Amino acid sequence: GEFRRSRRHSTRFPWPREQPQRCGRWRGLGMRPDVRRDAAAVSRILIRSAVGAALLRPCAAAGRDLCVAAQKQDLVETMPEGCDGDELIPDHTFAGGANGWGVYAKSGVNTTVAWNRPGAFIEVSEHKNAHKYDSTFWKKLKLERGFRYSFCVQAATASSSGATTNALRFAVDGGSELGYKIPGGIGRSVFHLKPGRADVDCFNFELEKGDGKYPGRLVIEFGTIVGEVAMCQASLRTCGSVDVPVVVSTAPTVAHGGADHSAPGGGSGGGGSRGGGGGHVARDIPVVVREPDGGRIAPMCPATVKHLDVYSCSGDFLSGEQLDNPGFHGVGAKGKWIGSKFKGDAAEFYWGPVGALVDVKEQTDGKDFWAVGLVQFVNISVNPTDAYEVCIQAGAARDGTVIRFSVDRGGKPDYSTPGGLERVEMRLGQTLTENCFRFGLSPTVPSYEGRIVIELGQALGQVAICQVSLRSCRRESYLPEAVPAVRRCYVAPLEKGKSCSLLEEHGGINFKLNAAGQETDGKRACLERLRRSGGDSFVFSPGRCQIWLCKDRAGLIASSTGEPDSAHVYSELCDNTEDVSGRLGAVARSPVFVKLYEWNFNDIAQECVNFLGPNGFDALQIMPVTEHILGGAWTAKYQPVSMLLNSRSGTAEEFKCMVATCRAVGVEVIVDVVLNHIAKPCPEVAGHGSDAVSPCRGWAGSKYGNRRLPNVAGRGVIGPEHFHHLASDKMGNCPVDTKTFTCLNSTPPGDCTQCDLFGLPDWNSELLEVQDYLTTHLKELHSIGVTMLRIDAASYMHPTEMSKMLNQVPWDYIFQEWWAGIPSPSRTRYVGAYRDIFYSRYMNRKLILEEASSLPELLNITYGLEGLDPKQGLWPLTYHDARSRFYRSDTPTYKGGMEFHLQQKFLLATPAGLVVRLWGGYGWTDLDDGPPGCKATMKDSKCDVLPVYNADGSDNCIPTPTVTPLNESLSESHRWACEHRWQGVAGLIDYRKACRGLTVQETFTKDVAVGRFAYRAGSTCFVALFKNVTSDALNFWDLEGVASGLPEGRYCDLSLLPTKKGWDGQACPNEVRIDASGKIFHGLVSKGDLLAIHAGMRLPLADVGAIGAERAPAAWSTADGLAKACGVAEDEPISRARPSRPWLSGGTGVLLFATSMAGLLQI
């Protein structure tokens, strides 16, 4: 640490002034190299593009003249004492040109190199999402181990620009042979160039003793510098043995060195990884920690508070300082900072002109981080388009000291961090380190009240916190190379008006139903017309395609005055998840999905007809449908071996039949697609190396191997070249660390989109042939009638590449597997919505884990993941990664019995959120168990999935539970659970579609201490909940006298209605009666359950059709394909079709009566 800190200020040389106006403007013969990562090949292409007369153009010549003058300086003068070894870089003045240094430029980055001899002249054109590693110089060297080294660079830039864009980065690393790791794990140096003059910066490191030479690589990265750079010289010298102590002055100096590990797809930016957000950055600033003298701190931090280099946000989008007293001026509360400790003598706090010194003297038995800390309370104004970063600069007297920091809510609730992110841990030493906690805030609240907390309870000795900074970053959503998404709008067809104009109208066979009886091919044809026309929206019905141009989304909504359900509207202007439908967007949408986990296709088709369609489910989600590896574990489904639609769930024909059947009764199908990776190779591959062998067998018999897939349906053979791989080994690749879900060995470091997750070969989706291969699969699904997708492992793929595949199809809805972190606006714009697991966590805490007094706080939970618009979140109660071997109250599964059922009921009863997803799964005794009939222990073999339905139409589902937890015989049985079928779910779907989004007008909390809580949403919806509190001996809550505020009448408690199929609307399992004053005079709630009523469901009703809880698919989306694929008569789907009910959505309380289904359809 002391060696790395030692350096001197450099000599600066002015940029020649012969061409002051023209330098900075020259644009050379830049090119777009192929996406290949072969640096040598790219270098040759770039160099050839720069030869000739361009070499001597004015700005390059000016750079040459600057370097001639600057090279008079011996760089050894800027190195630490003792660095007097021989020069180790053969071409340290770049005189050898391409023969001396390699050049790399990322695809799409125009980079021109002129070898001035001496010096090199580089020009990088402006490009989006710039990273320093986009353009680099590199050179490989073999270095002796057991020595210290100093690597110095002399460079200048021609023109002034922001601090970020004038920074290059350089270091010595291990190259591809050692995963690009830096010796000692220190950070790369960030060199801020000064316009018009040459400067010098150094990267100091040491190599531990060991066998053989170190395969080093000198690398200079300048991809964020827009314009011209003169690279004058570089020097690498030995500075003595690591066994010889280094004597360093204690005077505080500030160097320019540092690191920037920001990279797309990594955990440090919150890009969806399961860990939290922060990138470790070491800074070459000495920490001189001395014993406090009379409350004063000896010099240890920079003399003034300066801008930190660790922000991931570029200067143009970064806000000013938002924190009071970032440098700790003052003491205690007066200075806004408060020191905390678990006991009086556990730590001492000292405050200096800049910085705070914390002397930790004692730890708790558990070495808890929270035991000692620094806290500042904050109130952050929320801007929905902003991300936020808290960055700190710190050091410690002891190397290896670990501290932790974050933003959290404090004690309310439970010190939770925004979005549930992990707190950032920093490993400190005698070199100051900078790091950031990056987070987002919910757009549903105007401000965030919380605290910044730095936890030092694991430290012993003195820790210097020099600076803490809070800033926001404006996030852009535009990606220059991405393909725009065109999504379903759900509003009525467009009509001509002031806001939208009709550009084109087309008809013909291309827009009619396809061979499967689906309209989806016609919609894709309409999308192609849209892309060629310059419009932004299209309106489709079979045989007809209209192309429209609208001013904006508001204009589109204002023009949606056509006949509802007569055509579908798609547009670039609509959100991924629209919350309105109908004419003028006047009808609220409340989508309810269910995941039928590992069900076979035949059972799913029957479930659509028997239960999902009649009870108002909007869509069902299924597991991946492609051919997968052999085995009985559920994980087998996520290891595809071909794109054949033949899996454990059934054949391609059974799949097509299921999709047609479900769509015929108004239920769309969501397919879980795996676009990130393929299967691991089977054990038989071992020993074959890179040989082109395929000894493995898939579920349908396809042969595959290590990074090799078969040619299926003429789609071509897939080989190692189609996957991300090491430069030196096509059969190997960087791994995703499965403990931290970060990728330190990727190129560049931190980019997990290039690495293998769980050892699964990672598609190189930058390649056009890979995009075409995967897009063909997506189009096949769409042609069959699949209109919605779930993207597995979405955070490990770039949004640009995903958009090029996904957005060739006009999907109705897409959501991404997401864990935590701030999703970028561009990902939302070009890909889709997100699985949001945080709402269910908060609900579980308030409804189950905490005391009954917390029940009213359920209504304060209006969002899930902090920083994510609730409209963009799909809220599940459970998911396949969230399971426990035995019952646990903090992990909702079927094993919780009534407790689980209450939670899925409340998920439907809350007025919050937009899209919710229920669960229909099975029991397990091993967390990896597949469906009934398939155990995790069944390796490399097939298994027979037991059916949900018996031949006589009865089912094999666990009955609705009556106890918590579920009794052991059921909890430990490997049978179908069918949680979505438990009594009351069907009725509550109707309640949600009538009441979601209504404002809570009144709460009833008189007896909340004993678990009784009720609320009214709007003027038409009422819920009463009776938590199972042991102190209350009563098994029922009698609601007599409760002023519900609802209209007079007899109501059906929808929370106990088992199904609406065949229900005549005359009687109900639990009836509630309300008098003219709005008071309940008859109504009971069972302990551990809830009651839900709304004014649109009063008794008696003349006909089941008058329930009004269902809607019909358009007639053109049903019959032909269903009849052909499944042999069903054409009039049967129509008789099952769900009647439209826009007049009842949103809880309007209107009652409609019809004498027949046909009559209701006519209405």
Side-chain angles (χ1 to χ4, degrees):
E2 291 177 341
F3 171 74
R4 293 197 301 271
R5 293 199 308 270
S6 55
R7 67 178 302 279
R8 301 175 187 168
H9 293 291
S10 60
T11 304
R12 297 179 175 87
F13 295 86
W15 189 282
R17 299 185 178 182
E18 291 86 350
Q19 308 290 340
Q21 300 301 319
R22 300 179 68 179
C23 288
R25 293 186 183 180
W26 178 61
R27 293 292 176 264
L29 304 174
M31 46 74 67
R32 298 169 66 89
D34 188 72
V35 75
R36 293 176 52 203
R37 305 186 188 281
D38 183 342
V42 174
S43 171
R44 289 191 294 272
I45 296 171
L46 286 166
I47 293 161
R48 280 199 293 270
S49 72
V51 298
L55 289 177
L56 296 179
R57 290 193 180 187
C59 214
R64 180 193 58 197
D65 295 342
L66 178 145
C67 288
V68 169
Q71 285 175 5
K72 296 176 182 178
Q73 180 186 15
D74 189 346
L75 298 193
V76 73
E77 297 175 3
T78 66
M79 295 180 178
E81 297 290 343
C83 295
D84 51 5
D86 294 335
E87 177 60 61
L88 299 178
I89 303 178
D91 182 19
H92 69 282
T93 63
F94 304 96
N99 296 322
W101 288 80
V103 183
Y104 165 77
K106 179 183 176 182
S107 176
V109 180
N110 290 339
T111 302
T112 303
V113 178
W115 304 106
N116 283 337
R117 297 180 174 87
F121 176 79
I122 308 108
E123 182 190 28
V124 181
S125 66
E126 185 173 1
H127 58 288
K128 297 288 185 180
N129 300 320
H131 303 95
K132 293 181 177 64
Y133 48 77
D134 288 347
S135 298
T136 63
F137 277 4
W138 58 271
K139 175 185 283 290
K140 291 184 177 181
L141 292 174
K142 298 288 187 179
L143 301 178
E144 297 289 344
R145 300 181 186 271
F147 287 88
R148 298 186 179 93
Y149 294 87
S150 185
F151 172 37
C152 298
V153 172
Q154 185 184 59
T157 183
S159 57
S160 179
S161 135
T164 301
T165 55
N166 266 359
L168 63 79
R169 187 170 69 171
F170 67 104
V172 174
D173 64 27
S176 59
E177 187 171 341
L178 297 179
Y180 304 95
K181 290 183 178 179
I182 299 176
I186 62 178
R188 302 171 190 264
S189 285
V190 176
F191 186 2
H192 293 281
L193 303 183
K194 300 297 189 296
R197 64 187 187 188
D199 199 357
V200 181
D201 203 353
C202 296
F203 174 82
N204 304 320
F205 65 101
E206 56 187 51
L207 296 176
E208 297 179 354
K209 292 182 177 180
D211 298 331
K213 290 188 176 183
Y214 176 82
R217 184 186 74 137
L218 308 177
V219 59
I220 305 170
E221 304 171 339
F222 41 85
T224 58
I225 299 179
V226 178
E228 299 84 5
V229 177
M231 197 73 62
C232 295
Q233 59 177 320
S235 179
L236 175 66
R237 298 176 185 263
T238 56
C239 305
S241 170
V242 295
D243 295 329
V244 179
V246 178
V247 178
V248 183
S249 168
T250 58
T253 61
V254 180
H256 297 289
D260 177 6
H261 286 196
S262 59
S268 64
S273 71
R274 304 186 193 191
H280 174 76
V281 177
R283 293 271 291 155
D284 295 336
I285 304 175
V287 180
V288 183
V289 182
R290 299 176 181 169
E291 288 295 326
D293 179 17
R296 296 173 54 207
I297 304 174
M300 59 173 180
C301 294
T304 59
V305 173
K306 296 186 177 181
H307 179 81
L308 301 179
D309 291 326
V310 70
Y311 287 103
S312 64
C313 188
S314 64
D316 293 339
F317 301 104
L318 192 64
S319 76
E321 181 59 60
Q322 298 186 23
L323 192 63
D324 289 333
N325 197 6
F328 298 92
H329 303 292
V331 181
K334 181 180 177 182
K336 300 295 184 181
W337 288 96
I338 302 171
S340 64
K341 47 191 175 181
F342 75 100
K343 57 186 297 188
D345 56 354
E348 294 180 1
F349 299 84
Y350 300 90
W351 316 89
V354 174
L357 177 68
V358 184
D359 193 357
V360 182
K361 299 180 179 296
E362 186 176 348
Q363 298 173 321
T364 61
D365 293 339
K367 297 183 179 180
D368 299 299
F369 275 112
W370 55 259
V372 177
L374 285 168
V375 174
Q376 181 176 146
F377 292 94
V378 293
N379 190 319
I380 305 172
S381 296
V382 175
N383 186 332
T385 64
D386 286 355
Y388 301 83
E389 301 187 37
V390 170
C391 301
I392 76 172
Q393 183 186 64
R398 296 185 180 185
D399 287 339
T401 297
V402 179
I403 66 172
R404 189 172 73 172
F405 71 102
S406 67
V407 173
D408 68 24
R409 286 282 194 182
K412 296 181 180 181
D414 300 337
Y415 304 95
S416 60
T417 59
L421 290 171
E422 296 291 333
R423 301 171 195 270
V424 173
E425 294 185 8
M426 290 178 68
R427 186 172 297 274
L428 306 180
Q430 296 182 42
T431 298
L432 283 189
T433 299
E434 295 174 2
N435 209 340
C436 293
F437 176 81
R438 301 183 176 104
F439 61 101
L441 297 173
S442 171
T444 62
V445 295
S447 63
Y448 176 92
E449 292 186 8
R451 60 180 194 156
I452 294 175
V453 56
I454 305 168
E455 301 175 320
L456 307 106
Q458 282 200 6
L460 268 181
Q462 297 175 349
V463 178
I465 310 294
C466 296
Q467 181 179 344
V468 183
S469 178
L470 169 64
R471 296 174 187 260
S472 61
C473 178
R474 190 175 78 252
R475 297 179 291 175
E476 285 190 312
S477 65
Y478 175 69
L479 294 176
E481 297 183 8
V483 177
V486 175
R487 298 284 185 262
R488 175 85 180 272
C489 298
Y490 289 96
V491 294
L494 305 181
E495 294 185 331
K496 294 179 181 179
K498 295 181 179 179
S499 301
C500 293
S501 56
L502 177 63
L503 301 183
E504 300 175 2
E505 186 163 357
H506 303 277
I509 192 171
N510 289 341
F511 306 103
K512 293 186 176 181
L513 302 183
N514 62 20
Q518 305 294 349
E519 83 291 355
T520 46
D521 285 3
K523 288 180 177 177
R524 287 206 309 279
C526 201
L527 174 63
E528 292 174 5
R529 290 284 186 178
L530 173 72
R531 294 259 159 85
R532 293 196 293 265
S533 69
D536 53 34
S537 309
F538 73 80
V539 178
F540 179 88
S541 60
R544 185 184 184 193
C545 167
Q546 293 181 332
I547 307 300
W548 290 77
L549 179 65
C550 299
K551 292 181 178 180
D552 49 32
R553 180 180 177 275
L556 182 145
I557 299 295
S559 299
S560 61
T561 55
E563 183 66 27
D565 295 329
S566 63
H568 289 174
V569 180
Y570 290 78
S571 178
E572 294 180 9
L573 304 173
C574 290
D575 292 334
N576 289 292
T577 314
E578 284 290 332
D579 59 351
V580 296
S581 63
R583 284 194 177 102
L584 301 175
V587 180
R589 293 186 67 237
S590 304
V592 177
F593 301 160
V594 61
K595 180 169 182 176
L596 298 184
Y597 186 47
E598 286 272 27
W599 286 42
N600 66 53
F601 299 143
N602 293 334
D603 282 331
I604 293 172
Q606 193 164 350
E607 185 73 354
C608 282
V609 173
N610 290 349
F611 190 77
L612 302 185
N615 289 303
F617 285 85
D618 295 274
L620 67 95
Q621 179 187 338
I622 60 176
M623 298 279 277
V625 297
T626 53
E627 183 184 10
H628 50 81
I629 63 172
L630 298 172
W634 65 266
T635 53
K637 284 285 192 76
Y638 290 91
Q639 296 197 50
V641 303
S642 80
M643 291 302 165
L644 286 175
L645 303 182
N646 194 324
S647 69
R648 188 162 61 200
S649 296
T651 65
E653 288 305 312
E654 289 169 336
F655 173 60
K656 293 174 184 177
C657 178
M658 178 271 290
V659 173
T661 302
C662 291
R663 294 197 78 206
V665 293
V667 182
E668 300 295 333
V669 176
I670 307 169
V671 170
D672 197 343
V673 291
V674 183
L675 306 178
N676 179 67
H677 57 261
I678 65 166
K680 294 179 184 178
C682 61
E684 288 76 11
V685 168
H688 286 282
S690 60
D691 295 342
V693 297
S694 297
C696 313
R697 294 293 182 273
W699 192 268
S702 296
K703 299 178 180 180
Y704 69 99
N706 187 4
R707 298 176 179 265
R708 299 182 189 279
L709 296 184
N711 182 356
V712 173
R715 297 179 186 179
V717 176
I718 297 297
E721 66 275 12
H722 294 106
F723 301 93
H724 287 124
H725 54 78
L726 300 177
S728 59
D729 180 13
K730 288 187 177 181
M731 308 307 289
N733 195 25
C734 57
V736 177
D737 188 320
T738 54
K739 292 183 179 179
T740 63
F741 290 93
T742 57
C743 302
L744 300 179
N745 297 329
S746 64
T747 307
D751 186 356
C752 287
T753 64
Q754 300 181 29
C755 298
D756 292 354
L757 178 65
F758 300 119
L760 301 163
D762 189 77
W763 282 109
N764 185 354
S765 53
E766 296 97 327
L767 296 177
L768 290 178
E769 53 263 45
V770 171
Q771 294 175 13
D772 290 343
Y773 183 86
L774 297 175
T775 301
T776 299
H777 168 58
L778 296 175
K779 288 181 177 179
E780 181 182 22
L781 294 177
H782 192 244
S783 293
I784 290 170
V786 174
T787 58
M788 301 183 180
L789 299 177
R790 182 242 191 206
I791 311 298
D792 182 64
S795 60
Y796 296 93
M797 292 179 280
H798 276 295
T800 296
E801 276 68 50
M802 280 198 285
S803 76
K804 293 176 181 178
M805 297 180 286
L806 295 171
N807 295 341
Q808 294 187 42
V809 173
W811 301 104
D812 287 8
Y813 180 74
I814 292 178
F815 77 98
Q816 306 169 70
E817 179 187 18
W818 203 253
W819 291 91
I822 314 164
S824 67
S826 57
R827 179 177 285 274
T828 305
R829 175 178 178 176
Y830 291 102
V831 182
Y834 306 86
R835 182 194 66 181
D836 185 348
I837 60 178
F838 289 92
Y839 177 83
S840 63
R841 291 185 183 181
Y842 302 150
M843 178 185 69
N844 171 260
R845 185 181 303 153
K846 298 301 177 185
L847 184 58
I848 303 299
L849 302 180
E850 295 184 2
E851 298 295 327
S853 58
S854 296
L855 290 176
E857 297 179 32
L858 283 166
L859 300 179
N860 296 331
I861 309 173
T862 57
Y863 58 88
L865 175 64
E866 194 110 39
L868 179 65
D869 185 340
K871 282 177 54 179
Q872 298 298 342
L874 175 144
W875 290 359
L877 174 58
T878 188
Y879 47 98
H880 58 254
D881 291 300
R883 296 191 288 176
S884 57
R885 173 63 186 86
F886 301 101
Y887 159 72
R888 286 180 50 172
S889 59
D890 62 348
T891 306
T893 70
Y894 78 101
K895 294 177 184 283
M898 278 190 69
E899 186 178 270
F900 176 86
H901 194 26
L902 177 62
Q903 291 174 84
Q904 69 174 349
K905 283 187 172 184
F906 188 81
L907 182 65
L908 294 169
T910 177
L914 178 57
V915 182
V916 297
R917 190 192 69 190
L918 302 172
W919 190 259
Y922 55 84
W924 63 82
T925 56
D926 185 307
L927 294 181
D928 289 331
D929 278 347
C934 299
K935 298 289 290 181
T937 54
M938 297 176 179
K939 305 290 185 182
D940 303 321
S941 62
K942 281 194 171 185
C943 54
D944 294 321
V945 180
L946 300 180
V948 176
Y949 281 98
N950 298 314
D952 61 1
S954 62
D955 62 66
N956 296 303
C957 298
I958 292 175
T960 303
T962 57
V963 294
T964 297
L966 202 64
N967 65 66
E968 186 174 354
S969 63
L970 290 176
S971 178
E972 292 294 291
S973 62
H974 191 201
R975 61 179 288 188
W976 296 103
C978 312
E979 298 93 329
H980 69 292
R981 277 178 153 263
W982 291 355
Q983 184 175 2
V985 169
L988 282 167
I989 291 174
D990 183 276
Y991 175 88
R992 181 164 183 82
K993 290 180 180 293
C995 304
R996 185 205 67 81
L998 298 181
T999 302
V1000 174
Q1001 301 287 353
E1002 188 173 3
T1003 59
F1004 304 85
T1005 59
K1006 176 182 176 182
D1007 297 320
V1008 71
V1010 291
R1012 301 174 183 178
F1013 173 63
Y1015 61 88
R1016 184 180 73 251
S1019 59
T1020 57
C1021 302
F1022 178 84
V1023 171
L1025 187 155
F1026 189 12
K1027 182 174 180 176
N1028 191 350
V1029 178
T1030 55
S1031 60
D1032 193 326
L1034 298 176
N1035 290 321
F1036 296 94
W1037 176 14
D1038 189 342
L1039 297 174
E1040 183 177 359
V1042 174
S1044 71
L1046 268 61
E1048 180 181 13
R1050 299 172 59 218
Y1051 289 79
C1052 177
D1053 174 12
L1054 297 172
S1055 74
L1056 289 179
L1057 189 65
T1059 182
K1060 290 185 296 181
K1061 183 180 182 182
W1063 182 50
D1064 62 7
Q1066 300 298 310
C1068 191
N1070 187 34
E1071 184 178 320
V1072 180
R1073 299 185 182 185
I1074 298 177
D1075 64 20
S1077 68
K1079 287 186 178 181
I1080 297 174
F1081 65 90
H1082 173 77
L1084 299 174
V1085 187
S1086 299
K1087 181 182 285 189
D1089 206 348
L1090 62 76
L1091 170 151
I1093 57 177
H1094 72 81
M1097 191 65 77
R1098 280 178 281 182
L1099 304 173
L1101 295 177
D1103 188 271
V1104 63
I1107 294 172
E1110 309 173 14
R1111 50 74 179 105
W1116 42 263
S1117 67
T1118 58
D1120 287 350
L1122 187 64
K1124 291 178 181 178
C1126 307
V1128 180
E1130 293 188 15
D1131 61 339
E1132 288 186 38
I1134 304 302
S1135 68
R1136 291 197 298 264
R1138 292 190 270 166
S1140 182
R1141 60 141 197 170
W1143 46 82
L1144 277 181
S1145 296
T1148 59
V1150 177
L1151 287 174
L1152 293 176
F1153 293 86
T1155 57
S1156 68
M1157 181 72 74
L1160 185 60
L1161 286 173
Q1162 184 61 41
I1163 292 173

